[in-house]
Amino acid sequence: MLEICKIVVPTPYACGPVNAYLIKDQPLTLVDPGPETDEAIKALNNGLSSHGVTARDIERVVITHAHSDHSG
């Protein structure tokens, strides 16, 4: 069964946090990893860790659209 895990990632924008999704299938996929801020990167890494993976384990990244809150 396909497992999709939501990871809440903070942003510095008025929209508030965004959701990244870890798809635990082959290839291991991360959707919309969030902005490139220290706080967001820390939250993303903590979220990945809570699901038993690290950023180095990710084999594919999918960006749904090119806003900086999704694809920093």
Side-chain angles (χ1 to χ4, degrees):
M1 183 168 147
L2 181 65
E3 185 178 0
I4 300 174
C5 309
K6 180 173 83 170
I7 301 170
V8 178
V9 179
T11 76
Y13 309 115
C15 66
V18 294
N19 296 322
Y21 294 93
L22 173 65
I23 302 173
K24 294 181 93 175
D25 198 11
Q26 294 299 317
L28 192 61
T29 301
L30 182 62
V31 179
D32 290 339
E36 190 176 1
T37 65
D38 290 342
E39 185 180 19
I41 292 167
K42 181 178 179 180
L44 181 62
N45 284 330
N46 288 340
L48 291 171
S49 178
S50 74
H51 295 290
V53 300
T54 70
R56 291 180 187 258
D57 298 324
I58 302 299
E59 298 172 279
R60 176 173 54 192
V61 176
V62 175
I63 307 298
T64 60
H65 60 285
H67 290 164
S68 60
D69 60 330
H70 290 264
S71 62

